[in-house]
Amino acid sequence: VSQETISTLFGSKLSVVNVGLRSFAESLADQGVAVSDVDWRPPRVPYLRVISSGIDIEAANAEAVARIQQARPMLVGMGIAREAIPGYEPPPGKRALILHAGPPITWDRMCGPQRGAVMGALVYEGLAADENEAAQMAARGEIAFEPCHHYHAVGPMAGIISPSMPVFTVRNGAFGNLAYATQNEGLGRVLRYGAYGSDVYERLRWMEEVLYPTLKAAIEAIEVGIDLRALIAQALHMGDECHNRNRAGTSLFLRALTPALIRTCPDRERAAAVFEFIQGNDHFFLNLSMAAGKAALEPAEGIEGATLLTVMARNGTDFGIRMAGMPERWFVAPAGIVDGLYLPGFSADDANPDIGDSTVTETAGYGGFAMACAPAIARFVGGTPQDALEATLEMYEICYAEHEQFTIPALDFRGTPLGIDVRKVAQTGILPRLNTGIAHKEPGIGMVGAGVLRAPEQCFVEAFESICR
Amino acid sequence: MIRRSEYHDSVTLMEIARSLNALPGVVDAAVVMATEANRALLEQAGLWGPELELATANDLIVAVHAGSEVLAEHALEMAGERLARPQSGRRAGAEQAGAHRARTITSAVRGHPGTNLAVISVAGQYAAAEAWEALHNGLHVLLFSDNVSIENEVALKQYAVQHGLFMMGADCGTAILNGVALGFANVVPRGPVGIVAASGTGLQETSTLLARLGLGISQGIGTGGRDLKEAVGGLTMLQGFRALQSDPETEVLLLVSKPPAPAVAERVLAQVKESDKPTVVCFLGGTQEPIVGAGAHPARTLQEGAYRAAALAGRAVTEGAIARETADLQVQAATLRGGLRAGQRYLRGLYSGGTLATEALIVWGEMVGDVHSNVPLRPHLKLQDASRSQGHCAVDLGEDEFTVGRLHPMIDHELRIRRLMQEADDPEVAVILLDVVLGYGAHPDPAGELGPAIAGARARAQEGGRELLVVVSVTGTDGDPQGLGRQVKALEQAGAVVASCNAAAARLAGYIVTGGRAL
């Protein structure tokens, strides 16, 4: 029996956590003792340490977090979706396979912007002459739909990946797994926000014919690839949270890319056009930040008993989560309404419910969870840098760990909250804070704003119940 | 009115309920969490209505019975305002204004990596889980909450002992660690005496007496009231005792508790026997021989415990001091008796500290004879009805029968003042005793409330043609937020006789009612 900790206690300064009567904390503060007074309320459910089968949840989660932190997502190449993504082919009898954001969904339940993006993609692919025909095709069941997440991929907003689209390939250097994401189109009238039309297709075609081959050559010329974890870590120190703000990440990416771009692109004007496109799109880095998150999270899947999320995604109709311990199972609830700031001419009446795979960033320990890094966009969470700090501080309550690689200057370089723990969400009732863009609810229009919201409670309740069983 | 998923600590709720009850036209009001137990209370009080059926244990209920609907509405409105208002302008510790406060112990520890102690005072049903969380985070624990099952207490303490952590409590009201007053505790200097106490008030009384003798304490470890029961086996007492035996700052040990279960007493005294530091054992109401047998110094009262420990620590105060004081008390009693009328023969002790009531009963056992109580030394002296005195009588107003749904009498004097008036009207009463406990956790100005009440009680007796004596003991130091000197002065100005300590107050009252005759 050790007396060591007690003699240590006798010799050291008291530092107290107070739970309950506030006056006790005040008495301690009066005596000059460091005290943190817990904002306690009755736990909604007990904190579960062991599953009924006897598996130690703490150990499982520790392993999951260790794997996520070891991840080394490297941008190593690009390809065309149907060739690059393993298993990407339509099932028998279907004319095409389209990947989408969020949990599985059928055409009849798809929201406006996701439908719009599907219609646009079918026209872009040349499978339909116009959007009407595309919609009929989809309604007749000729198109297969699958979540991006079922193919190691992630897509922002509608998250549509159609066969001809170029994708980035991100390789997790620590585990060897690959993840995929498309190139970011920019803001406004873009396919991922549900817009379609000639301007949208023209841009997509340019991205396929000019942007893609140029980037591919440059990226593949960089011997070890581009270290996305390092870029994210730096961007977090430069005012990005790598979800709603990607200005620093995009700049860092361009800086890492440019020498290779100049060396590999034979046409100076084309190189300049590519450079201009990226520097004119502050969100270009988003898709890379997302693919990096996906690559980092997947190795944690399949750790029995782990209650951390490896997937959190929305399709504009449903919000879905998956836990590391049950990677095949989606827990789904209706997608929430975004509390947003709107582009001129649009309002909350135009907004579609929450949509996109970009919550992979929050799942991987940045995005909305790293708001404290991004005072420039504090308006989303109340206006002041203090509000941004508190948004992050609150997320520590529901996370299992803190990220060793991603740190927050304003919190004395504390690690970002990492590993959303279903048990803690169930216990505290604190729901994950998400940052997001907002799409118009009707197909064909596009972006109307950006904002924040909380994940819906019900899917966490069900996930927690499934652990208890 | 139901307020969903709203939580406030019980002190806040009871304070609000008290202010609602004080509103004109309000017959009864309750502000409680909608637990099963509280529901039963509301039903009993006639405050339950069908509209409350939807409330769950995480919801807050405000129920008002008033003379009219308007009055009730007004009360509900006021409750809403009070609940919405931040409880205190002052924020605890280093937290900045508006800063996020951690919601769980784990998260607080993560945000403050040097944390080494958890003080837990949530409702009993949640307390064990919080204590587990604290222990799992490697923290020592002071568990103030009561209503923790004995099985939980044993499991927590076994884990704590295995991991070298203190698990003080459940129901541990007081501790002094590294000179810091925790829970209900006084500001005392650091020094050579280490105390392990199963009674919070016992620790307060002995530590303040030592302070007044010019002696500090090294550590004051609380064990919780049940630690020395057979089922718990004195786990924390033994652990604390061992820790102090090897603590270089501690020169003299003082153990304070009610008599332990026999097997536990044996274990504790075996540990005492191994001690190479002088040890004073105060098992209040227990036998002395086994203590002497273990090579330790027995003490019958808290006062004796403190004085003996002081003597062993090299202070030139011995039991001679108590004897000298006793002689003075006899003289004082004779003077005070002079004003009493023939029919005034009983003493009535109205205590806020249970251990202080017990100490007084021990003193009177040899002086006064039978004293009735709700916490009697012998079962046949149990009061039939604790709300009405008979003969010589000592009531512990901190017992559960008095505190359900209200604040402890060390914080809220209302009940004690009412009882004081009741006793003042009894022509057979000669002397009333009150204990006043100062320090952190206690009322900010007890004399400010009890003083006028004492004056009022004496005036009432005066109207009945009697002199009523009120003897008070004050447990505290000049370093306490209330200030011992200020409190004593205010009480004396109100007409109270302030004794040097609780045992002295008991002896003085004893001499007053016996006229100095030994039994």
Side-chain angles (χ1 to χ4, degrees), chain B residues 390-410:
Chain B
Q390 54 185 112
H392 296 304
C393 190
V395 190
D396 173 12
L397 293 164
E399 274 289 293
D400 291 348
E401 59 200 305
F402 292 110
T403 56
V404 171
R406 69 167 77 234
L407 296 168
H408 193 275
M410 282 183 199

Side-chain angles (χ1 to χ4, degrees), chain A residues 2 5 9-10 12-13 15-17 19 21 26 30-31 37 39-40 42 49 390 396-397 399-400 402 428, chain B residues 7 11 88 90 93 98 100-103 107 110 115-121 130 136 161 164 178 181 219 440:
Chain A
S2 148
T5 51
L9 174 73
F10 285 172
S12 48
K13 253 187 132 119
S15 175
V16 181
V17 53
V19 193
L21 298 176
E26 290 171 351
D30 260 7
Q31 298 175 74
D37 188 25
D39 183 14
W40 187 86
R49 290 185 168 266
E390 290 187 15
Y396 285 115
E397 304 294 334
C399 284
Y400 187 76
E402 297 175 11
T428 61
Chain B
Y7 175 80
V11 174
S88 163
R90 187 168 43 158
H100 172 84
R101 287 165 65 207
R103 285 277 297 273
S107 129
R110 214 195 268 157
T115 305
N116 48 20
L117 173 73
V119 176
I120 299 169
S121 54
E130 298 300 322
H136 282 136
V161 169
N178 302 349
Q219 304 289 346
Y440 284 112

Side-chain angles (χ1 to χ4, degrees), chain A residues 302-363:
Chain A
I303 299 171
E304 208 178 339
T307 58
L308 306 185
L309 297 192
T310 50
V311 172
M312 185 161 64
R314 318 86 92 199
N315 56 34
T317 304
D318 298 322
F319 184 107
I321 56 173
R322 301 205 289 186
M323 283 183 291
M326 298 182 198
E328 304 301 318
R329 182 157 171 203
W330 287 93
F331 296 91
V332 171
I337 302 299
V338 183
D339 175 14
L341 301 169
Y342 290 90
L343 300 176
F346 295 107
S347 73
D349 294 339
D350 303 308
N352 194 77
D354 192 24
I355 184 168
D357 285 337
S358 53
T359 37
V360 66
T361 58
E362 282 83 9
T363 320

Side-chain angles (χ1 to χ4, degrees), chain B residues 336-355:
Chain B
L336 291 169
R337 272 180 68 75
L340 296 178
R341 291 212 330 209
Q344 288 183 271
R345 55 183 158 220
Y346 292 134
L347 62 81
R348 299 280 158 85
L350 308 180
Y351 288 93
S352 60
T355 303

Side-chain angles (χ1 to χ4, degrees), chain A residues 103-298:
Chain A
I105 190 158
T106 49
W107 172 260
D108 56 306
R109 292 187 67 245
M110 249 182 218
C111 68
Q114 200 157 56
R115 282 185 180 210
V118 168
M119 293 187 269
L122 291 174
V123 175
Y124 158 73
E125 292 286 339
L127 290 166
D130 58 32
E131 293 83 15
N132 249 338
E133 191 189 333
Q136 285 164 17
M137 213 185 244
R140 284 195 301 269
E142 292 169 25
I143 309 298
F145 295 108
E146 287 276 358
C148 291
H149 273 293
H150 291 185
Y151 288 81
H152 316 290
V154 277
M157 301 307 291
I160 298 305
I161 302 179
S162 66
S164 312
M165 286 185 183
V167 291
F168 292 113
T169 302
V170 174
R171 182 174 184 277
N172 181 345
F175 295 89
N177 60 299
L178 302 173
Y180 308 92
T182 55
Q183 307 172 106
N184 192 288
E185 307 159 81
L187 297 176
R189 280 186 45 76
V190 289
L191 189 80
R192 74 173 189 284
Y193 277 90
Y196 49 65
S198 55
D199 52 337
V200 173
Y201 309 138
E202 204 177 303
R203 189 187 303 107
L204 286 175
R205 234 159 259 135
W206 179 84
M207 289 170 70
E208 181 184 340
E209 289 162 8
V210 179
L211 182 63
Y212 158 64
T214 312
L215 282 181
K216 178 177 165 73
I219 291 165
E220 291 175 2
I222 300 171
E223 204 174 330
V224 292
I226 295 175
D227 186 339
L228 295 176
R229 188 178 79 183
L231 293 195
I232 291 168
Q234 292 167 53
L236 293 173
H237 285 192
M238 295 167 70
D240 281 1
E241 36 69 280
C242 301
H243 185 172
N244 270 21
R245 189 182 198 267
N246 290 284
R247 183 175 282 225
T250 301
S251 304
L252 290 169
F253 171 70
L254 258 184
R255 207 172 71 156
L257 178 82
T258 301
L261 177 68
I262 292 170
R263 287 199 186 97
T264 54
C265 184
D267 177 348
R268 182 189 289 226
E269 190 46 46
R270 189 163 59 138
V274 164
F275 191 100
E276 266 169 358
F277 179 81
I278 296 174
Q279 81 88 24
N281 172 9
D282 281 341
H283 285 287
F284 194 81
F285 187 67
L286 171 64
N287 298 34
L288 293 168
S289 135
M290 288 171 58
K294 180 66 180 162
L297 288 161
E298 268 195 5

